[in-house]
Amino acid sequence: MTEKRELSVVIACHTQDRWDLIVKAIDSVLQQDGPSVSIVVSVDHEPVLYERLKSNFPDIEVVENQFQGGASGNRNSGVLATSTALVAFLDDDASAKPGWLMHLTAIFEDPEVICAGGSVNPAWEVAEPRWFPFEFAWVIGASHTGLPTANATVRNVWSENMVVRRNIFDEVGGFRLDFGKVGTTSRPEDTDLCLRMQKAAPNGAIMYVPDAKVDHHVSKERGTFQFFLKRCYSEGRGKVELASNNEGTSDLGDEQAWIRQTITRGFVRYMKLGIVERNPDQILRGGALICGMAAAGIGATLSVFRMLFG
């Protein structure tokens, strides 16, 4: 008799350049204790990578993106190949820590939980930059300063470390196909999904589970100041589009609170430490906060002008 799977894990991948990371991601799921799991690897219009995965992992289902290129359609294609009530997502450059799935699935014992996600630790390819402020850790796909330290209800979690109830995911149509990461363009498609799921199930809860941990590879290129500014700019544009797609600025309450509290406190802290301890790294981090906010602000402003004036 075929074993009944309790949960599916979708790993969306895009390029052979990440082969070693893809293998590491798959292995990290295979090593999980807890619920019985089926793995689906979805390939984003890369036939050679698709055939290589099929050949190297005959016991894992490998599918091709049925939609336009990009993270949203690729993840949706993976979900279509699943049949479980819960579906988890793990990025192709992330690897799950022991206990990842046990922590995430345990939260779904509460029937009101519709989505959950965990913490993401950066795995730097090279040394962590001296100037990098962890208030902006989302730039590199990691958990940023200010997130809860215990299980908590949140507005959204992130698709590199996420579990959803399949029925609610299907009800909202999955990830929005015209809004997401395509090539070097980045949009917060995971936040958008969470907002739409919450609106479809107003009494449902989205939970942040910090003990459900994954490591996220941070390439040398993503550790540069140029990438930092570019990603902040892109995120600023994306958040305006996010609000436009949903219910306006009321959906950006988390961002507004992050600016008022996390960024303000971080800047003051870095400046105090830099002056008192005469530590130039702290000054650099404070400066990076200002530059990141400026880049995001420019992106948001240009996005507003584009919407208003075409």
Side-chain angles (χ1 to χ4, degrees):
M1 179 181 292
T2 302
E3 180 185 9
K4 180 176 175 58
R5 304 294 186 177
E6 299 174 53
L7 178 140
S8 302
V9 178
V10 172
I11 302 173
C13 57
H14 311 272
T15 172
Q16 286 202 83
D17 294 342
R18 291 184 176 180
W19 176 257
D20 290 343
L21 294 171
I22 296 168
V23 172
K24 186 176 181 180
I26 294 171
D27 286 344
S28 75
V29 177
L30 292 173
Q31 294 169 16
Q32 293 292 307
D33 294 325
S36 58
V37 172
S38 64
I39 300 175
V40 178
V41 179
S42 188
V43 182
D44 192 15
H45 302 291
E46 286 284 348
V48 176
L49 176 58
Y50 172 78
E51 295 298 335
R52 187 178 183 185
L53 284 163
K54 294 274 287 185
S55 175
N56 282 268
F57 296 96
D59 297 327
I60 290 176
E61 186 160 10
V62 182
V63 300
E64 295 181 280
N65 184 359
Q66 301 179 28
F67 305 99
Q68 64 199 45
S72 294
N74 202 22
R75 293 195 190 103
N76 288 351
S77 296
V79 174
L80 288 175
T82 69
S83 59
T84 52
L86 297 178
V87 179
F89 297 97
L90 182 71
D91 277 4
D92 61 350
D93 57 354
S95 58
K97 304 293 281 184
W100 172 60
L101 281 181
M102 284 198 299
H103 286 296
L104 279 181
T105 54
I107 208 77
F108 283 89
E109 293 176 5
D110 180 349
E112 297 299 319
V113 174
I114 59 173
C115 177
S119 59
V120 182
N121 305 313
W124 299 91
E125 184 177 331
V126 296
E128 176 188 323
R130 299 170 53 198
W131 52 266
F132 189 80
F134 268 82
E135 289 79 2
F136 275 84
W138 49 264
V139 167
I140 54 170
S143 297
H144 60 80
T145 300
L147 287 172
T149 57
N151 293 356
T153 303
V154 293
R155 181 195 65 179
N156 68 277
V157 291
W158 299 273
S159 52
E160 61 202 332
N161 182 359
M162 174 191 283
V163 179
V164 297
R165 286 200 191 273
R166 173 71 186 274
N167 62 323
I168 305 296
F169 182 89
D170 287 346
E171 183 178 341
V172 302
F175 291 97
R176 194 188 296 269
L177 293 176
D178 60 351
F179 186 75
K181 297 176 179 67
V182 182
T184 59
T185 300
S186 180
R187 297 291 184 271
E189 77 282 352
D190 34 22
T191 302
D192 174 81
L193 173 68
C194 290
L195 288 172
R196 290 184 291 114
M197 290 180 68
Q198 185 71 80
K199 286 161 188 167
N203 296 322
I206 296 175
M207 299 296 298
Y208 180 65
V209 185
D211 287 338
K213 299 176 181 180
V214 305
D215 289 334
H216 183 232
H217 177 77
V218 184
S219 66
K220 179 180 179 181
E221 293 74 20
R222 293 190 176 195
T224 64
F225 193 63
Q226 180 182 9
F227 178 85
F228 174 79
L229 293 179
K230 184 176 180 180
R231 184 63 188 274
C232 290
Y233 169 85
S234 181
E235 192 73 6
R237 293 194 63 175
K239 287 302 170 73
V240 170
E241 294 172 20
L242 172 75
S244 177
N245 287 338
N246 292 280
E247 292 184 354
T249 56
S250 63
D251 282 327
L252 300 182
D254 281 19
E255 285 77 13
Q256 293 163 358
W258 173 75
I259 294 170
R260 289 194 310 269
Q261 301 171 18
T262 304
I263 295 300
T264 302
R265 292 171 184 170
F267 179 76
V268 172
R269 183 177 68 255
Y270 289 137
M271 291 300 102
K272 283 184 176 179
L273 289 173
I275 294 169
V276 173
E277 299 181 1
R278 297 184 179 181
N279 186 335
D281 290 358
Q282 303 295 337
I283 301 293
L284 289 174
R285 288 172 184 161
L289 283 182
I290 300 303
C291 292
M293 286 301 304
I298 292 170
T301 300
L302 291 179
S303 188
V304 169
F305 272 101
R306 182 179 178 185
M307 290 179 182
L308 292 175
F309 304 110

